Amino acid sequence: MKDQAPAPQTDSPDIPGKPTSASRTTLSHIMTHNDTNLLGTVHGGVIMKLVDDAAGAVAGRHSGGPAVTASMDEMVFLEPVRVGDLVHVKAQVNWTGRTSMEVGVRVLAERWNESAPATQVGSAYLVFAAVDADGRPRRVPPVLPESERDKRRYQEAQIRRTHRLARRRAIMELREKRAAEGYED
């Protein structure tokens, strides 16, 4: 028997959940000479901006309003992107908390003038916080994973969240210990 994904967090009974497909999106952009770095390939920062743009659109769609980038985890560049590549940035909500969401992003590239399949060139995980008009956190609908892949992504997102919280806690404990010992950082 396969392990089943836990049910999405439902501490928001007044906010109905949304399926993963409701906010999934793809952003496509052709890379030009304006996007290059000193090596002549597309600058990583250009790709990161596209990733943040696509993830922000997904977070805003899922939460039904403004959402801001809280963190970016595991931005991985697998292959260089070149001038003339058509880049596709595919994003979806993997997990939701009370006011935050993890958005998973895959970056694919294909030559603009060839019919070869696109190649995955990068991936990232971003955490967004939904905010109201005053910039205060607001609740988000639970995400409802639809496929086995969505359920796997949900479980993996929970692991990443646990690691983020543990890392933050360990760093704060170390800082408190150093401050108690008289070190100023």
Side-chain angles (χ1 to χ4, degrees):
M1 183 172 153
K2 290 185 180 179
D3 289 336
Q4 293 189 353
Q9 187 173 348
T10 56
D11 67 347
S12 303
D14 54 332
I15 302 176
K18 288 185 177 179
T20 307
S21 61
S23 58
R24 187 179 289 141
T25 194
T26 300
L27 174 73
S28 297
H29 188 80
I30 195 159
M31 299 292 107
T32 68
H33 288 287
N34 292 334
D35 302 315
T36 59
N37 58 27
L38 296 174
L39 298 175
T41 56
V42 172
H43 196 286
V46 170
I47 301 299
M48 291 174 75
K49 179 172 184 342
L50 294 173
V51 164
D52 192 45
D53 288 346
V58 166
R61 279 181 169 184
H62 183 82
S63 68
V68 296
T69 311
S71 70
M72 177 183 272
D73 288 353
E74 300 179 38
M75 181 71 211
V76 177
F77 298 98
L78 302 169
E79 299 281 338
V81 177
R82 301 172 295 160
V83 169
D85 281 352
L86 180 58
V87 172
H88 308 286
V89 183
K90 297 177 176 283
Q92 75 172 48
V93 173
N94 290 336
W95 176 90
T96 52
R98 197 171 71 77
T99 62
S100 63
M101 305 155 269
E102 183 194 89
V103 178
V105 181
R106 285 187 322 130
V107 183
L108 305 153
E110 62 181 309
R111 295 305 294 165
W112 70 272
N113 60 347
E114 297 175 9
S115 60
T119 302
Q120 184 170 349
V121 295
S123 65
Y125 300 100
L126 296 89
V127 176
F128 279 80
V131 294
D132 64 16
D134 297 320
R136 291 187 304 261
R138 61 182 175 80
R139 293 173 78 142
V140 300
V143 66
L144 305 174
E146 298 171 281
S147 68
E148 287 304 313
R149 176 184 260 179
D150 293 340
K151 291 174 186 174
R152 175 186 54 79
R153 288 178 176 169
Y154 185 91
Q155 290 173 312
E156 291 172 357
Q158 288 181 304
I159 293 167
R160 282 186 292 275
R161 181 176 189 274
T162 299
H163 288 178
R164 275 191 299 273
L165 294 175
R167 183 177 61 233
R168 181 181 306 146
R169 191 170 38 254
I171 290 170
M172 294 308 294
E173 288 171 4
L174 176 64
R175 288 179 180 173
E176 289 171 7
K177 179 182 174 197
R178 289 182 54 80
E181 293 172 349
Y183 294 102
E184 291 185 34
D185 290 334

